[in-house]
Amino acid sequence: MRQFKYIIMLAFIGIGIGSFFSLLSITLNQAIFSLTQFALLMTMSAIMGILSIIFDYDKFSFMTQLVLHFVLEMLTYLIFIALTFGKTSIALTNIPTFVIIYLAIFLYMRQQGHDNARRINEQLANKKHS
């Protein structure tokens, strides 16, 4: 049950991030999405969030996890954008934007991980000295 809750949490994180960038894209491009397009984009975002579970498997090195995650995210992006807009050219022309967004999210999450590890280590050090 805990694993199921974790997967649901990852899906909602993905939807949150996807919603933000979709809304930003809609605003900047003054686009209008149909309900079907919106549903596909949110499904893509949920799947992309769930793909983060790759980082929980310790059998792979971090670099393998990162490359695998990036490739799966890119494939998900290409498939769903092609389904959403009916053109693969839209997905292909937006690859640089995808890479920039991926890097921004990666760097943020990496920094969060370092901050969490630092806080945990400080708490452990305080308990050890107490």
Side-chain angles (χ1 to χ4, degrees):
M1 187 64 155
R2 192 182 328 190
Q3 186 72 6
F4 179 73
K5 287 180 181 179
Y6 181 62
I7 290 170
I8 296 298
M9 181 192 70
L10 289 175
F12 278 117
I13 290 170
I15 289 171
I17 293 170
S19 297
F20 172 76
F21 285 107
S22 295
L23 184 59
L24 182 64
S25 177
I26 289 168
T27 303
L28 293 176
N29 295 314
Q30 298 177 351
I32 299 172
F33 283 3
S34 71
L35 188 56
T36 303
Q37 289 173 322
F38 180 76
L40 282 168
L41 286 171
M42 292 305 103
T43 303
M44 173 189 70
S45 298
I47 291 170
M48 291 173 113
I50 292 169
L51 287 174
S52 296
I53 205 165
I54 289 170
F55 292 109
D56 293 341
Y57 292 107
D58 296 333
K59 292 182 181 182
F60 300 130
S61 70
F62 176 73
M63 191 54 69
T64 302
Q65 291 171 335
L66 183 62
V67 169
L68 184 60
H69 184 258
F70 180 80
V71 169
L72 290 174
E73 293 277 332
M74 179 66 79
L75 287 173
T76 303
Y77 171 77
L78 292 172
I79 291 167
F80 275 91
I81 294 299
L83 288 173
T84 302
F85 297 106
K87 297 179 183 176
T88 55
S89 62
I90 292 173
L92 295 174
T93 57
N94 285 310
I95 287 177
T97 304
F98 174 85
V99 171
I100 290 168
I101 292 170
Y102 185 90
L103 285 173
I105 294 169
F106 170 76
L107 292 173
Y108 174 77
M109 299 302 262
R110 182 97 169 156
Q111 185 62 42
Q112 287 294 104
H114 284 295
D115 290 345
N116 288 340
R118 182 184 44 76
R119 264 194 312 276
I120 291 168
N121 286 334
E122 285 174 359
Q123 289 175 352
L124 290 173
N126 289 341
K127 284 186 178 185
K128 187 176 182 179
H129 294 294
S130 297

